[in-house]
């Protein structure tokens, strides 16, 4: 099922893991952060910038791409890699989260999720089989099962119902993937269960029994809070196999990433770097910098004079402040570049710290520095 796909652990330090995922389109160094290319683009950036920043893999979104321009059209145009000029690996999510959060009208049944497009009101049915079909038409290297991601807070009974439905959908996703996928593609299962340890354990055990190439932890970063997220990870990860990659979906801040890596997560995605960049917020080793603040209006210093990213190294805070306050497109572009590069630098630093056996010390130093800065 996964010829050409593999994962190997290269080093561990406590629960933190340094590894490498092999795909036919190239290797993914882990821990890895995947920039979000929702509709075939990482917003405000050229694909070449994303690659030069250090990203090995991008995330694409089934919901948005199936609605516009359409998965069948992307397939006719050579697949998502060729369409967006990204030669490296691509992971696609199943579309389930967007159906739950963006659609104007939705109804969840055993068959799937019936919904009305937020674009034009057209009606669609996203089943586990259709989600896999769309992902195979796009040609993604790592595909996700369709699951039901519920809002927080949720009663135990509701979380149990959604978790069990997601497991049945996982079985159907596996069957569809076996029929439709090409060699080298991989399907990941998604552990659900809200913040309930017993449900997370049951979900993980059932998915592990399916012997999938990788596993994601879903349903977090939906309002449960940082501490609850970490407690849920601690309860879930011991039930996932050591020799397969673990992906925490939709997370998050630099602090979230460091704490999740410390607990054994290998892969992340989040819109935070580019979304915050578009709104004038930069991430740096000394903390967050809000370029909208008036204090930057005459500051000729760059965000980080030692950064390998030209946007962080070569442009003054005064100029970035001016661009953001003026609503100039270049401000969004430069700060999205700054943040995308910073997140990749952060992952590279974590990989090096794990290899050196000093991850805990590095994490404490880095969090103290980032927590004490910002403006």
């Amino acid at each position: 099922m996964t010829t050409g796909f593999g994962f190997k652990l290269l080093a561990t330090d406590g629960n933190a893991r340094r590894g490498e995922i092999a795909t036919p389109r190239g290797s993914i160094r882990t821990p890895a952060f995947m920039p979000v290319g929702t509709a075939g683009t990482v917003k405000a950036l050229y694909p070449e910038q994303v690659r030069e920043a250090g990203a090995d893999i991008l995330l694409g979104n089934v919901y948005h791409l199936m609605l516009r321009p359409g998965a069948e059209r992307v397939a006719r145009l050579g697949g998502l890699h060729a369409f967006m000029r990204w030669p490296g690996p691509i992971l696609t999510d199943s579309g389930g989260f967007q159906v739950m959060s963006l659609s104007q009208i939705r109804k969840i049944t055993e068959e799937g999720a019936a919904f009305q497009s937020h674009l034009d009101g057209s009606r669609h049915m996203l089943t586990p089989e259709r989600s896999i079909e769309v992902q195979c038409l796009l040609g993604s290297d790592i595909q996700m099962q369709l699951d039901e991601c519920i809002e927080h807070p949720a009663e135990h009974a509701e979380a149990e119902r959604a978790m069990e439905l997601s497991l049945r959908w996982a079985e159907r996703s596996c069957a569809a993937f076996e029929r439709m996928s090409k060699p080298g593609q991989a399907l990941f299962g998604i552990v659900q269960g809200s913040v309930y340890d017993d449900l997370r354990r049951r979900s993980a055990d059932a998915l592990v029994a399916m012997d999938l190439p990788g596993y994601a932890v879903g349903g977090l970063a939906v309002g449960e809070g940082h501490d609850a997220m970490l407690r849920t990870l601690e309860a879930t990860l011991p039930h996932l196999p050591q020799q397969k990659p673990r992906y925490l979906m939709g997370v998050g801040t630099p602090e979230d990433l460091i704490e999740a890596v410390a607990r054994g997560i290998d892969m992340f995605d989040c819109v935070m770097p580019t979304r915050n960049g578009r709104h004038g917020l930069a991430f740096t080793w000394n903390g967050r910098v809000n370029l909208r603040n008036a204090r930057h209006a005459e500051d000729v210093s760059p965000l980080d004079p030692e950064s390998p990213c030209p946007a962080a190294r070569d442009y003054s805070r005064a100029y970035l402040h001016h661009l953001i306050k003026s609503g100039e497109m270049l401000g969004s572009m430069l700060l999205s570049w700054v943040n995308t590069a910073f997140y990749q630098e952060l992952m590279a630093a974590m990989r090096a710290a794990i290899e050196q056996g000093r991850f805990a010390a590095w994490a404490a130093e880095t969090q103290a520095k980032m927590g004490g800065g910002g403006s």
Side-chain angles (χ1 to χ4, degrees):
M1 176 166 82
T2 56
T3 303
F5 179 93
F7 175 68
K8 60 182 178 182
L9 279 176
L10 303 176
T12 59
D13 184 7
N15 290 321
R17 297 142 54 92
R18 164 76 173 99
E20 187 170 273
I21 300 171
T23 80
R25 285 194 170 89
S27 296
I28 304 160
R29 298 163 292 177
T30 66
F33 182 86
M34 299 180 283
V36 175
T38 301
T41 171
V42 178
K43 290 190 189 321
L45 294 176
Y46 296 111
E48 294 81 4
Q49 287 175 299
V50 180
R51 170 67 79 178
E52 290 167 5
D56 295 330
I57 179 172
L58 298 184
L59 180 142
N61 185 269
V62 160
Y63 172 88
H64 290 281
L65 290 167
M66 71 179 281
L67 294 179
R68 185 173 58 193
E72 284 76 11
R73 175 172 290 171
V74 173
R76 289 193 299 271
L77 294 170
L80 185 57
H81 296 80
F83 189 51
M84 65 180 294
R85 295 190 69 248
W86 176 262
I90 294 175
L91 180 147
T92 42
D93 63 16
S94 68
F97 179 81
Q98 282 72 29
V99 167
M100 314 306 168
S101 62
L102 293 181
S103 301
Q104 297 166 7
I105 298 175
R106 63 181 186 274
K107 182 179 181 182
I108 308 300
T109 64
E110 189 69 34
E111 181 185 1
F115 67 94
Q116 189 171 339
S117 166
H118 72 290
L119 296 175
D120 59 9
S122 58
R123 295 183 179 274
H124 302 265
M125 169 63 80
L126 187 64
T127 65
E129 294 79 12
R130 175 57 176 163
S131 175
I132 295 297
E133 180 185 25
V134 169
Q135 294 181 77
C136 287
L137 286 166
L138 297 174
S140 55
D141 305 280
I142 300 175
Q143 304 181 9
M144 306 304 298
Q145 70 152 105
L146 184 65
D147 65 327
E148 183 183 1
C149 181
I150 59 175
E151 295 179 352
H152 179 83
E155 296 293 332
H156 187 279
E158 172 64 6
E160 184 175 33
R161 180 204 60 76
M163 181 272 289
E164 291 181 340
L165 177 62
S166 295
L167 287 176
R168 294 192 295 274
W169 284 0
E171 293 174 344
R172 289 168 56 188
S173 296
C174 287
F177 184 83
E178 290 284 1
R179 295 193 305 272
M180 301 179 195
S181 64
K182 294 180 179 179
Q185 294 177 319
L187 176 67
F188 283 19
I190 304 177
V191 179
Q192 287 288 357
S194 186
V195 293
Y196 300 105
D197 294 357
D198 62 319
L199 299 183
R200 290 284 176 176
R201 182 178 62 252
R202 284 168 50 190
S203 178
D205 289 346
L207 289 169
V208 170
M210 299 179 197
D211 193 26
L212 296 163
Y215 299 93
V217 181
L220 294 177
V222 292
E224 76 283 353
H226 179 76
D227 292 342
M229 179 188 76
L230 296 181
R231 286 196 302 270
T232 302
L233 285 180
E234 291 167 359
T236 302
L237 294 180
H239 301 284
L240 296 178
Q242 288 281 330
Q243 70 275 18
K244 294 186 178 181
R246 303 157 171 180
Y247 164 29
L248 178 55
M249 306 181 76
V251 175
T253 67
E255 295 80 6
D256 287 340
L257 269 57
I258 292 170
E259 293 290 351
V261 166
R263 287 158 175 79
I265 290 292
D266 305 302
M267 303 170 67
F268 303 88
D269 81 280
C270 191
V271 297
M272 192 168 286
T274 48
R275 177 175 290 171
N276 278 301
R278 295 196 304 278
H279 291 90
L281 188 72
F283 291 98
T284 77
W285 290 108
N286 291 310
R288 295 160 173 79
V289 180
N290 185 351
L291 273 307
R292 291 187 175 276
N293 287 347
R295 62 178 297 178
H296 302 296
E298 296 190 22
D299 189 341
V300 297
S301 65
L303 285 168
D304 183 353
E306 298 180 358
S307 173
C309 174
R313 185 189 65 228
D314 298 340
Y315 293 84
S316 72
R317 296 178 186 223
Y319 183 57
L320 295 171
H321 169 81
H322 159 70
L323 293 175
I324 293 297
K325 294 293 284 186
S326 302
E328 287 290 342
M329 190 183 304
L330 183 59
S332 295
M333 295 169 64
L334 289 173
L335 290 180
S336 296
W337 190 9
V338 166
N339 290 346
T340 296
F342 174 76
Y343 267 59
Q344 296 304 322
E345 291 170 39
L346 181 69
M347 305 316 290
M350 283 197 268
R351 293 192 295 265
I354 295 168
E355 290 172 353
Q356 295 161 6
R358 60 178 308 270
F359 182 80
W362 173 89
E365 295 164 5
T366 301
Q367 288 175 301
K369 191 175 179 183
M370 289 194 298
S375 59

